[in-house]
Amino acid sequence: MPDSANGSPLRVALLGCGVVGTEVARGILTNPIDLEARVGAPLELVGVAVRDLATERDPVVPRDLLTTDAEALVDRADLVVEVMGGIEPARSLILRALRGGAAVVTANKALLAERGPELFEAADAAGVDLSFEAAVAGAIPIVRPIRESLAGDHVRRVLGIVNGTTNYVLDRMTTEGLDLDEAVAQAQALGYAEADPTADVDGFDAAAKAAILASLAFHTRVSIDQVAREGIRGITADDVAWAARTGHVIKLLAVAEVIGPVDDGEVSVRVHPALVPVSHPLATVRDAFNAVFVEAQGAGPLMFYGQGAGGRPTASAVLGDVVSAARRRLTGGQGLRESKDQDFPVLPAEAAITRYQVRIDVEDRPGVLAQVAGVLAEHGVSIDTVRQVSASAAVHEDLAQEHGTAHLLVTTHAAREASLAATVAAVSALEPVREITSVLRVEGS
Ligand SMILES: NC(=O)c1ccc[n+]([C@@H]2O[C@H](COP(=O)([O-])OP(=O)(O)OC[C@H]3O[C@@H](n4cnc5c(N)ncnc54)[C@H](O)[C@@H]3O)[C@@H](O)[C@H]2O)c1
Ligand SMILES: N[C@@H](CCO)C(=O)O
Ligand code: NA
């Protein structure tokens, strides 16, 4: 088992040398004096595990540090930084490192959201640190504030913009009136979105982060398959225009909240597009930035904002974890362990409670509004506001061509997802209802 003696260097192994790994290597290799001052001992990068030794790389990474034998590298490290991504071999290598007594720093949200408990148990069994600040919202310090700064408080709710690509896409739709495909193409051209944008656009990346945030915030275990997930594919330029008209912007949100008492409730964890009032701090988050809005019982509202992706920003978070973990190697002991004592049940998607805005095209004649309102009342869904815009006053010229159609915007009070779904089905079956043009959740009001 590798260990460090006081004064001798702490051996750091880097697994993966891509966008983030290269910047982590740069940080360790170009900043040794500062890091030593923070840690209390020098950090020595002892190797960088790569898939292919021949790949052309940034010259900051010395070729003689490269190896394809990741296991042997792990075995001679005090501290392992995993930035290769994916489930395997990252999982096996992290387990190997932890069981061998090395501290691990990872940026791998997908692995944590899928196999977190197994990794945390291995860390606890070995009494070593498993740190992952970079896994949620990149550079933004959010894992540590929730785990440590708020450890004496009760978090009730977390609302996060935790995927930069989709925030960029929605922002372009909002500010330039682009449709979804055009905005995704722009995000791809700028290198935000991958050639296959599924992980971002369909909300998988945000769902992994939501699972991690919920687990931390509520001292419970939430895995990615318990997160209700809906991406932004269904969002149209029309939805964005109507959102603006009603004083909202559309954001892809990761929502985690306790329903009921903070010590005996249930948690709802979900990712979906939502209407956010323009007055809410999250509405101001532009471009590919991330932000996490936390509501805690004692602290009240808190907002954490910054860059959620990119090599240097993400490496900043990784290096912060490296310094903390290295420091604890010297001083002894483990940092905060996995906190899971609450063991809250996770509500199924249909039991989530939120407000909705439903946009309905109806025949513009007497009694129709009353009929729609009656269906909501029958289903126990309480109306907050109703706004009717006759087609002649519609936002788009094409809508203005229609005759005898009114656009109803019904905003509800908080309702169960299942009740809302049943209500929408019943409304759409009404004879004067031409089309339900959109159903969007409303958050942050
Ligand atoms: N890029 C970001 O902005 C960002 C932000 C937050 C978190 N992360 C996370 O950081 C991790 C790395 O992301 P990235 O953007 O640097 O990815 P990347 O694809 O640029 O880099 C990953 C590197 O790991 C290498 N690799 C994969 N499997 C390997 C193996 N078996 N052995 C050796 N090398 C292997 C790949 O060849 C690649 O060079 C991922 O878990 C990602 O989710 C990335
Ligand atoms: N694809 C992610 C990168 C960080 O996980 C994003 O767009 O935010
Ligand atoms: Na972070």
Side-chain angles (χ1 to χ4, degrees):
M1 182 177 99
D3 212 342
S4 60
N6 275 351
S8 63
L10 285 149
R11 293 159 295 178
V12 180
L14 187 57
L15 309 182
C17 193
V19 172
V20 180
T22 302
E23 296 308 320
V24 172
R26 192 188 314 281
I28 294 173
L29 293 166
T30 62
N31 207 8
I33 308 295
D34 282 352
L35 291 177
E36 181 175 347
R38 308 291 160 260
V39 172
L43 294 181
E44 185 192 354
L45 186 61
V46 290
V48 181
V50 296
R51 259 206 288 236
D52 182 359
L53 294 173
T55 303
E56 201 174 317
R57 296 177 194 280
D58 189 300
V60 79
V61 184
R63 296 205 77 83
D64 61 353
L65 287 184
L66 301 180
T67 174
T68 52
D69 190 348
E71 291 190 350
L73 175 61
V74 162
D75 291 345
R76 61 193 174 90
D78 300 305
L79 222 150
V80 172
V81 178
E82 185 279 304
V83 280
M84 56 175 45
I87 304 300
E88 286 295 353
R91 169 185 161 273
S92 300
L93 290 166
I94 289 176
L95 288 172
R96 186 183 182 99
L98 295 169
R99 288 173 184 153
V104 171
V105 175
T106 179
N108 195 333
K109 67 220 86 166
L111 176 60
L112 288 167
E114 228 176 85
R115 308 299 289 259
E118 176 187 28
L119 305 180
F120 292 119
E121 276 162 22
D124 287 351
V128 293
D129 288 333
L130 171 61
S131 318
F132 51 96
E133 182 58 76
V136 184
I140 304 175
I142 183 62
V143 169
R144 199 166 310 170
I146 292 183
R147 270 183 127 182
E148 301 192 22
S149 317
L150 291 169
D153 203 337
H154 288 286
V155 175
R156 290 227 53 122
R157 198 156 185 249
V158 180
L159 292 179
I161 295 172
V162 291
N163 182 267
T165 304
T166 46
N167 201 57
Y168 179 84
V169 167
L170 292 170
D171 189 43
R172 282 303 99 104
M173 291 176 76
T174 302
T175 54
E176 289 173 27
L178 300 184
D179 68 25
L180 183 85
D181 291 342
E182 290 169 326
V184 169
Q186 263 200 19
Q188 283 168 325
L190 285 166
Y192 294 136
E194 308 276 327
D196 173 6
T198 304
D200 296 318
V201 171
D202 292 315
F204 291 98
D205 175 75
K209 294 163 179 168
I212 298 169
L213 284 172
S215 304
L216 295 174
F218 308 133
H219 311 279
T220 192
R221 280 180 170 174
V222 180
S223 69
I224 188 163
D225 47 287
Q226 294 175 296
V227 180
R229 178 188 48 79
E230 186 183 312
I232 63 167
R233 271 189 215 274
I235 300 297
T236 63
D238 238 18
D239 292 333
V240 170
W242 278 102
R245 213 177 147 86
T246 61
H248 295 90
V249 286
I250 299 179
K251 295 290 187 191
L252 182 71
L253 293 187
V255 183
E257 60 191 345
V258 177
I259 312 288
V262 280
D263 53 354
D264 187 27
E266 295 168 304
V267 299
S268 171
V269 191
R270 50 192 200 269
V271 166
H272 52 66
L275 293 163
V276 176
V278 289
S279 56
H280 192 281
L282 286 174
T284 65
V285 179
R286 301 280 315 275
D287 296 318
F289 276 81
N290 282 196
V292 184
F293 190 80
V294 179
E295 296 168 31
Q297 220 167 31
L302 301 161
M303 171 121 139
F304 302 83
Y305 170 86
Q307 296 188 71
R312 288 193 67 191
T314 307
S316 161
V318 169
L319 289 165
D321 279 348
V322 166
V323 168
S324 300
R327 181 86 202 125
R328 269 193 295 275
R329 294 296 294 201
L330 292 184
T331 56
Q334 192 187 3
L336 282 189
R337 296 155 61 101
E338 185 195 16
S339 180
K340 57 176 191 315
D341 53 291
Q342 293 292 345
D343 204 19
F344 286 122
V346 181
L347 286 169
E350 58 277 14
I353 300 172
T354 186
R355 299 175 64 220
Y356 292 86
Q357 190 182 88
V358 186
R359 190 149 49 86
I360 312 164
D361 282 1
V362 296
E363 278 176 40
D364 197 358
R365 59 173 167 80
V368 175
L369 179 56
Q371 255 184 293
V372 171
V375 170
L376 272 91
E378 277 165 31
H379 287 80
V381 175
S382 172
I383 295 174
D384 180 19
T385 60
V386 179
R387 185 161 166 190
Q388 179 174 328
V389 182
S390 62
S392 55
V395 271
H396 289 310
E397 278 176 26
D398 55 335
L399 293 177
Q401 303 302 316
E402 294 177 3
H403 293 290
T405 297
H407 309 296
L408 284 185
L409 275 111
V410 178
T411 307
T412 72
H413 286 299
R416 290 243 178 229
E417 183 137 343
S419 314
L420 199 279
T423 309
V424 168
V427 167
S428 72
L430 290 174
E431 196 266 321
V433 170
R434 292 191 166 144
E435 194 185 356
I436 308 271
T437 44
S438 92
V439 179
L440 283 167
R441 297 166 186 86
V442 183
E443 298 284 352
S445 53

